[in-house]
Amino acid sequence: MASLKRSHAATAPTTTLSSKTYVRTLKSGKVQKIVREVYLRQDIPCSSQLCTSCLDQQDVGYGKKPEPFILSATPPATKQLTSGHYLVPDTNAFLSGMDLFESDGGAFTDVIVLQTVLEEVKNRSLPLYHRLIALTKNEDKRFYVFFNEFRLETYVQREAGESINDRNDRAVRRACSWYSEHLQQAVKARKSLRLPAIVMLSDDRDNLRKATLESVVGLTLRDYTSQLPDADRLLDMISEQRGLKTGKAELLYPDYLSISAMMTGVKAGTMHQGIFNVSPYNYLEGSVHVPAFDRALVIQGREYSNRAVSGDVVVVEILPKSEWKAPSSKVVEESELNKNEDAGDEEEASEGIVTQQERLALQEEVKKTHAAGLENQPRPTAKIVGIVKRNWRQYVGHIDSGSVRSESKSGRSQQTVFLIPMDKRIPKVRVRTRQAAELLGKRVLVAIDSWDRESRYPVGHFIRSLGELETKGAETEALLLEWDVQYRPFPKTVLDCLPAEGHDWKVPTSMDDPGWRDRQDLRDLIICSIDPVGCVDIDDALHATKLPNGNFEVGVHIADVSNFVRPNNAMDKEASLRGTTVYLVDKRIDMLPMLLGTDLCSLKPYVERFAFSVIWEVDVEANIISSRYTKSVIRSREAFSYEAAQLRIDDKSQKDELTQGMRHLMMLSKKLRAKRMAAGALNLASPEVRVEAESETSDPIDVKTKQLLDTNQLVEEFMLLANISVASKIHSAFPQTALLRRHGAPPKTNFEELANQLKVKKGLELRTDTSKALADSLDTCVDSSNPFFNTLVRILATRCMMSAEYFCAGTQSYPEFRHYGLASEIYTHFTSPIRRYADLEVHRQLAAAIEYEVIDDSLQSQSKLEGVCKNINTRHRNAQMAGRASVEFYVGQALKGRVLEEDAFVMKVFSNGFVVFVPRFGIEGLIRVKDLVGLGKSEEAVGEFDQAEYRLSFERDGHGKRAVELFEKVRVKIEDEVERSTGKRKIRLGLV
């Protein structure tokens, strides 16, 4: 955006003083009057390249170059606006059409964003405001922010009795009139040029009527878009703010309470606030965690979920105890119960909120609850009475072919269709489109606009097509969008922050160079790195040497990213937004530009690199004698893969200094690990596989389980030691603002179900009083006939844990700093600054702690750091989920067309199916009874569920009676299929 800074000369005759008066009510009830002075000027440019007078008036001062004008001299034309035009949208145009303005193809360029409108958008929707700001920074879009509230000719005073909305509408029209008159003079001075029209975009009828009276060209967003090429696609992108209903419709859902009523209820304890989460196995059931209850509150049925979407912040009211329900033990999928619905059906109220099929499913749950024993006691159940915050985002899915009218499959008539989201927890979305035929079989991106009381489903609008289902590009982009991964190329402003030398940058040869200031020369140390095969963004390297006194000097050397990424510059802001590098099967979405991540910062072998080193003296039992922290210059001797490092260590013929150092590291790492385990650190498990791809096409050809070697643990132990040491150092220096990482102790209720399962099925006791008690009892969970059983239990125990999180030290008491899983009193992330923004911030704090440099103000502000922590916690989780989704997609592709049989283990049992885990491929899947009993037979008729014993019995078609029990080893058939509900190719499992 253009700057409004000006020299004293600019306050001369082109400025005038006005004032704005505000009235606000204080908490005490008193009214406070605020008067703010406004300097009105005549030197704020129009930024049209047609205008030479504004260019001549620019006061840049101090010999600076004037800012280039943004609006083109030849703006786009339409059939009606043949001389070209500039667009001036009002607030509602941006609120309902932001996706339009962001669309590619040059449809919306040369846009004047008025200050009045920008401020209104900020007050109405902060996310949309940030998107609008991003548009103003996109040079190709040519969006110009015009500060009309500070220009003398465009400032309007609010009149007596005039509403703020009417005053702002008048300000928009005044700005349009001024631009028209101003450009008319500019074109007159340059006779050969054509005069572009100034077009106000608004959906406010009164504003458009007044615009006509004032000779301002005004169009609705739809009317303007209809004039453009590719209008069918663009019109679909306009938000359906008022839903799709016409006429008077019967209300299906209860009304929400007012915000004041909800807050009063929460304060009084009669209501509770929390985040609504929908079950991945039963779309009719959700839960809300609230502080007043140990267990999550149960929300069952459409009426009680009351238009909440998974992730929304809601307020709930507890139902009478007689209406409490037990969590569902049945798999219920929307794609089965409500298939072939008419998306354009206006008569939903005749059936009510709940369809007949859903009503039957809920009744079966009620019967089951009343028949259940102690194992299925009802839990506190609630209903949603209001929404505090909608956490709606853009959703990826596919058009339900059953909702497309047959006559429209070849035409372009507008109709309402259903989009089925990839995420099963999200309800179907009604979308109005003219492109139904073209969108069938495509991955489609939509946004939810509203969910009114008279509609069973939310209403949204089309944004864009990602491509054909199952194509690598479309499915990869889909998962990146689903998990909100920032994957667009780095903008020019970020790339401009890189060293001008590019790949030719080198550590300065002269130690008098400022880059060597206070750096220790460690180039003579025998240092190496150990990473996965193919790793190019090498964050860390290690060394170990034996000292004359019998102790060891051990060093962890981390890429000095903070030397290249300075606080608050464009690259730092982009890294802060991205939060982390995201690793997919076939690509890496970098947090930092590749020049830094894979070259200048990467601790590659045989070249000198800047590093941040943590160096200890330890005794033979791995006890720390002393620690020091220093910026350094290193020269790594070798970059090993885990496998190559293991072979080198194990090769007894290798006796060189580098190999001896690695053996010292291995010996010490085992002692460090033993001490951590003795202190109560947990050895948990998660399924990890590696997808092997064809070298030329990158097509997946096989799936293999990742094998962990001693070298994996070697690196892990020293990275943990470095993180713990740095955490203590920065906390001692910055007790209120140190950026740390904690892992809270899980509530006992988290383990109740797993503990009961182990007791019932195996006679084992799971103790969870402390992390040490849990670690010891996990070690006892063994089955001599099933070696994988212990790993299975550890996988299930991992899912009972709380998520680790970044936090600012001043927001928690010291006992809450503890990392439960690592059994460490304090912890942070320091060792991966190339791929994690948290580590980069910690590097800056450590540099200040050792007085290498002065700490930036942003790292001393607790409120700013809390915002950073909130974002990187979300980004870290999303990166993990995107990585898993990528593995799932590629596993499906690798097994495409193949039929295999493998061993599997039962992880969960429902009344109509069971979930199994296949170690060979690291996948889990649901096997439904209906797929085993044959056509024409219902699951309820042939299945018998003993919830107390976690056993499901059923009559198999042609195979007699079969019982499946929790933790049982079974043989499964593995095939691939395209899942109807999500459009994703997934693994289909069947019982052999």
Side-chain angles (χ1 to χ4, degrees):
M1 288 191 296
S3 171
L4 284 183
K5 290 182 179 178
R6 52 195 171 83
S7 64
H8 289 293
T11 64
T14 60
T15 63
T16 249
L17 187 63
S18 183
S19 64
K20 280 187 175 183
T21 304
Y22 303 88
V23 177
R24 70 175 184 180
T25 305
L26 303 177
K27 288 183 178 180
S28 61
K30 294 181 179 180
V31 175
Q32 183 181 50
K33 184 178 180 180
I34 302 170
V35 180
R36 289 181 181 165
E37 292 182 336
V38 179
Y39 287 91
L40 300 179
R41 299 157 50 184
Q42 291 179 294
D43 61 345
I44 298 173
C46 67
S47 200
S48 170
Q49 295 171 13
L50 288 166
C51 180
T52 55
S53 62
C54 284
L55 188 62
D56 294 339
Q57 285 181 13
Q58 278 202 96
D59 176 41
V60 294
Y62 303 107
K64 293 181 180 177
K65 291 183 179 180
E67 292 186 8
F69 277 14
I70 294 170
L71 303 173
S72 172
T74 55
T78 68
K79 291 179 181 179
Q80 288 77 14
L81 303 164
T82 55
S83 295
H85 61 284
Y86 297 142
L87 293 174
V88 185
D90 72 358
T91 304
N92 287 322
F94 281 123
L95 293 177
S96 62
M98 188 62 76
D99 294 314
L100 264 181
F101 292 105
E102 291 175 327
S103 63
D104 297 327
F108 286 82
T109 56
D110 295 297
V111 176
I112 299 166
V113 182
L114 298 179
Q115 176 191 0
T116 305
V117 172
L118 189 66
E119 290 174 355
E120 274 198 303
V121 170
K122 185 177 183 179
N123 291 332
R124 295 280 295 276
S125 171
L126 203 55
L128 287 181
Y129 168 77
H130 289 306
R131 289 167 67 183
L132 183 52
I133 290 295
L135 282 174
T136 67
K137 295 178 180 179
N138 185 331
E139 295 178 2
D140 296 330
K141 297 294 285 185
R142 302 194 298 278
F143 276 54
Y144 171 60
V145 177
F146 177 62
F147 291 90
N148 62 304
E149 298 287 357
F150 296 136
R151 175 106 194 183
L152 180 63
E153 300 92 334
T154 56
Y155 175 77
V156 299
Q157 190 79 34
R158 185 177 172 189
E159 297 173 350
E162 186 178 36
S163 70
I164 293 175
N165 184 62
D166 287 344
R167 180 265 171 203
N168 289 343
D169 285 346
R170 187 158 57 88
V172 173
R173 298 195 301 275
R174 172 75 66 85
C176 290
S177 296
W178 177 81
Y179 256 100
S180 294
E181 296 164 5
H182 180 77
L183 291 178
Q184 201 165 11
Q185 296 298 320
V187 169
K188 193 178 291 184
R190 302 172 68 181
K191 298 177 183 178
S192 62
L193 298 173
R194 60 183 185 174
L195 175 65
I198 302 297
V199 180
M200 182 185 79
L201 294 181
S202 176
D203 288 332
D204 186 321
R205 291 181 181 178
D206 191 50
N207 195 18
L208 290 170
R209 180 183 62 80
K210 292 176 181 177
T212 303
L213 294 174
E214 297 170 13
S215 300
V216 171
V217 179
L219 293 171
T220 67
L221 194 55
R222 286 188 179 278
D223 287 344
Y224 172 75
T225 307
S226 299
Q227 302 178 20
L228 301 176
D230 201 15
D232 286 346
R233 179 181 69 88
L234 295 172
L235 284 168
D236 284 352
M237 299 170 72
I238 299 176
S239 172
E240 296 281 356
Q241 291 291 347
R242 295 176 179 82
L244 300 175
K245 293 284 182 181
T246 57
K248 189 174 181 180
E250 188 173 338
L251 303 177
L252 296 173
Y253 290 97
D255 198 2
Y256 292 141
L257 297 181
S258 67
I259 289 290
S260 60
M262 288 191 292
M263 294 303 101
T264 301
V266 170
K267 192 173 182 179
T270 58
M271 298 179 191
H272 307 273
Q273 180 176 318
I275 297 174
F276 178 59
N277 292 296
V278 175
S279 166
Y281 295 109
N282 184 345
Y283 77 100
L284 292 174
E285 180 173 280
S287 61
V288 178
H289 283 274
V290 299
F293 290 84
D294 291 335
R295 292 170 173 242
L297 303 175
V298 176
I299 312 287
Q300 276 193 358
R302 284 189 187 275
E303 182 178 5
Y304 288 159
S305 63
N306 195 8
R307 295 168 287 151
V309 174
S310 195
D312 286 347
V313 180
V314 302
V315 169
V316 299
E317 186 176 64
I318 307 298
L319 295 174
K321 199 166 185 178
S322 59
E323 297 182 40
W324 288 6
K325 304 278 198 314
S328 173
S329 65
K330 182 176 182 180
V331 177
V332 182
E333 296 182 334
E334 185 174 18
S335 59
E336 291 184 356
L337 293 189
N338 297 330
K339 54 188 174 185
N340 300 323
E341 281 188 299
D342 183 358
D345 183 11
E346 302 286 331
E347 304 300 326
E348 290 177 334
S350 61
E351 193 172 16
I353 299 176
V354 184
T355 65
Q356 183 63 26
Q357 292 88 343
E358 290 172 344
R359 191 172 291 110
L360 288 172
L362 289 171
Q363 285 175 354
E364 286 158 10
E365 284 297 303
V366 172
K367 290 177 186 174
K368 178 263 302 180
T369 298
H370 288 296
L374 292 174
E375 295 304 321
N376 197 26
Q377 288 295 320
R379 283 184 10 198
T381 305
K383 64 179 180 180
I384 293 173
V385 296
I387 307 291
V388 175
K389 182 186 177 186
R390 289 287 193 191
N391 277 323
W392 292 349
R393 54 179 174 84
Q394 295 178 340
Y395 299 98
V396 180
H398 70 283
I399 302 298
D400 182 3
S401 60
S403 68
V404 179
R405 295 196 301 268
S406 57
E407 67 270 20
S408 298
K409 290 184 179 179
S410 58
R412 296 184 71 84
S413 60
Q414 188 178 44
Q415 66 165 304
T416 304
V417 298
F418 279 126
L419 176 119
I420 303 177
M422 288 176 67
D423 187 343
K424 289 184 178 182
R425 300 170 303 165
I426 307 301
K428 293 190 289 190
V429 182
R430 277 197 171 100
V431 178
R432 207 160 179 77
T433 179
R434 295 164 179 78
Q435 309 172 76
E438 297 171 19
L439 296 178
L440 283 174
K442 302 274 182 68
R443 275 275 170 245
V444 179
L445 183 66
V446 303
I448 295 179
D449 300 321
S450 62
W451 195 346
D452 297 332
R453 293 175 62 196
E454 63 268 22
S455 175
R456 183 179 295 132
Y457 300 104
V459 172
H461 68 272
F462 163 84
I463 298 176
R464 62 188 173 94
S465 168
L466 307 182
E468 298 285 340
L469 289 170
E470 285 200 81
T471 56
K472 194 185 302 182
E475 297 297 345
T476 298
E477 188 175 12
L479 70 88
L480 292 173
L481 287 164
E482 274 291 286
W483 295 108
D484 193 23
V485 175
Q486 307 296 308
Y487 64 96
R488 297 297 186 191
F490 288 102
K492 183 177 181 298
T493 52
V494 171
L495 300 179
D496 286 345
C497 298
L498 294 169
E501 304 92 331
H503 292 285
D504 294 328
W505 179 92
K506 290 180 173 58
V507 171
T509 54
S510 171
M511 296 183 70
D512 295 328
D513 188 278
W516 273 91
R517 181 186 62 83
D518 295 336
R519 284 188 185 274
Q520 190 171 351
D521 186 356
L522 302 181
R523 289 175 293 181
D524 60 328
L525 292 179
I526 308 301
I527 294 172
C528 69
S529 61
I530 306 174
D531 292 284
V533 173
C535 178
V536 289
D537 50 343
I538 303 174
D539 286 287
D540 55 87
L542 306 102
H543 88 275
T545 56
K546 194 162 188 176
L547 299 172
N549 63 2
N551 291 339
F552 295 90
E553 178 186 271
V554 177
V556 166
H557 312 276
I558 306 300
D560 188 7
V561 177
S562 61
N563 179 76
F564 297 92
V565 185
R566 305 310 300 168
N568 304 313
N569 70 9
M571 185 153 53
D572 180 56
K573 290 176 181 176
E574 182 72 17
S576 174
L577 175 67
R578 296 186 177 215
T580 181
T581 293
V582 181
Y583 294 90
L584 307 181
V585 169
D586 65 330
K587 66 169 65 177
R588 187 183 65 246
I589 313 297
D590 291 316
M591 182 184 82
L592 294 171
M594 190 177 293
L595 175 64
L596 294 186
T598 63
D599 190 359
L600 307 191
C601 292
S602 182
L603 303 182
K604 301 191 296 184
Y606 327 125
V607 292
E608 296 172 0
R609 286 289 181 255
F610 284 155
F612 209 151
S613 301
V614 181
I615 301 172
W616 306 273
E617 180 181 345
V618 299
D619 63 20
V620 291
E621 296 302 321
N623 297 307
I624 297 175
I625 307 301
S626 64
S627 308
R628 60 190 175 96
Y629 311 85
T630 180
K631 292 270 188 163
S632 61
V633 176
I634 67 167
R635 183 176 178 274
S636 174
R637 298 300 196 270
E638 192 61 71
F640 291 102
S641 67
Y642 288 116
E643 294 80 3
Q646 191 69 56
L647 288 171
R648 182 77 168 256
I649 292 170
D650 293 342
D651 185 352
K652 294 181 180 179
S653 67
Q654 298 278 358
K655 300 183 186 299
D656 57 277
E657 197 172 357
L658 175 58
T659 308
Q660 293 292 358
M662 293 166 67
R663 287 174 181 148
H664 294 326
L665 290 168
M666 179 66 77
M667 179 271 293
L668 292 168
S669 71
K670 290 183 177 181
K671 294 186 175 180
L672 286 170
R673 185 174 182 82
K675 287 198 287 186
R676 276 200 313 111
M677 293 302 165
L682 299 174
N683 180 20
L684 299 174
S686 60
E688 286 193 74
V689 296
R690 176 168 49 87
V691 179
E692 293 190 343
E694 207 277 328
S695 58
E696 292 186 7
T697 64
S698 295
D699 291 333
I701 54 176
D702 200 3
V703 182
K704 294 189 175 179
T705 306
K706 288 185 179 179
Q707 299 296 323
L708 294 182
L709 304 170
D710 285 348
T711 45
N712 291 83
Q713 294 183 352
L714 181 158
V715 174
E716 179 186 14
E717 291 305 321
F718 285 107
M719 296 306 111
L720 292 176
L721 185 63
N723 288 335
I724 292 168
S725 297
V726 169
S728 297
K729 183 68 175 178
I730 62 173
H731 180 246
S732 63
F734 307 107
Q736 292 300 308
T737 55
L739 198 160
L740 304 174
R741 186 165 175 83
R742 64 187 291 270
H743 182 210
K748 287 185 178 180
T749 52
N750 284 24
F751 283 98
E752 281 183 359
E753 185 177 1
L754 178 59
N756 189 64
Q757 291 169 347
L758 290 169
K759 181 179 179 182
V760 170
K761 302 307 295 180
K762 298 290 184 179
L764 298 169
E765 181 183 5
L766 188 68
R767 292 175 290 111
T768 59
D769 300 334
T770 63
S771 61
K772 173 65 174 169
L774 176 59
D776 291 343
S777 57
L778 285 174
D779 289 340
T780 66
C781 292
V782 293
D783 182 342
S784 57
S785 63
N786 180 3
F788 186 75
F789 174 69
N790 185 257
T791 303
L792 182 65
V793 173
R794 291 181 190 276
I795 291 172
L796 294 171
T798 302
R799 299 177 184 184
C800 300
M801 295 290 175
M802 307 288 283
S803 295
E805 61 180 9
Y806 298 104
F807 71 103
C808 182
T811 63
Q812 301 282 345
S813 62
Y814 189 80
E816 298 302 314
F817 288 13
R818 183 175 174 79
H819 195 293
Y820 180 83
L822 298 175
S824 177
E825 296 299 317
I826 192 168
Y827 191 68
T828 193
H829 272 163
F830 163 77
T831 54
S832 297
I834 291 176
R835 61 184 180 88
R836 287 191 306 232
Y837 188 73
D839 303 55
L840 176 55
E841 292 280 69
V842 168
H843 273 234
R844 291 165 175 164
Q845 290 187 335
L846 182 61
I850 63 173
E851 299 181 349
Y852 176 83
E853 62 187 10
V854 177
I855 194 165
D856 186 76
D857 290 343
S858 63
L859 286 160
Q860 291 186 298
S861 167
Q862 189 168 304
S863 61
K864 286 184 179 179
L865 278 170
E866 283 186 75
V868 168
C869 289
K870 182 178 179 182
N871 179 63
I872 57 180
N873 282 329
T874 301
R875 297 295 180 192
H876 180 76
R877 177 181 175 275
N878 287 0
Q880 287 182 316
M881 300 306 289
R884 291 172 190 170
S886 178
V887 169
E888 182 182 2
F889 169 69
Y890 274 90
V891 167
Q893 294 297 309
L895 300 180
K896 191 174 182 178
R898 297 164 67 181
V899 179
L900 305 169
E901 287 189 10
E902 291 288 341
D903 289 335
F905 298 87
V906 179
M907 299 182 81
K908 191 173 181 67
V909 182
F910 294 101
S911 62
N912 60 340
F914 49 96
V915 177
V916 298
F917 177 72
V918 185
R920 164 77 171 79
F921 299 117
I923 57 173
E924 59 185 87
L926 175 68
I927 298 178
R928 293 283 296 270
V929 170
K930 69 181 180 65
D931 297 324
L932 303 173
V933 298
L935 296 173
K937 298 179 181 178
S938 71
E939 294 170 318
E940 290 72 23
V942 297
E944 183 182 331
F945 180 45
D946 186 342
Q947 185 153 0
E949 291 295 325
Y950 303 100
R951 180 190 301 116
L952 175 62
S953 305
F954 50 90
E955 291 282 347
R956 284 199 69 182
D957 189 31
H959 292 81
K961 194 161 186 176
R962 176 75 158 89
V964 172
E965 303 195 25
L966 185 66
F967 303 134
E968 180 184 350
K969 180 179 177 180
V970 294
R971 193 76 175 165
V972 295
K973 182 169 73 171
I974 302 174
E975 302 173 275
D976 66 295
E977 68 170 354
V978 176
E979 192 175 38
R980 180 184 180 277
S981 61
T982 63
K984 292 193 288 189
R985 181 167 297 279
K986 296 191 69 174
I987 301 304
R988 176 175 177 166
L989 301 175
L991 200 60
V992 174

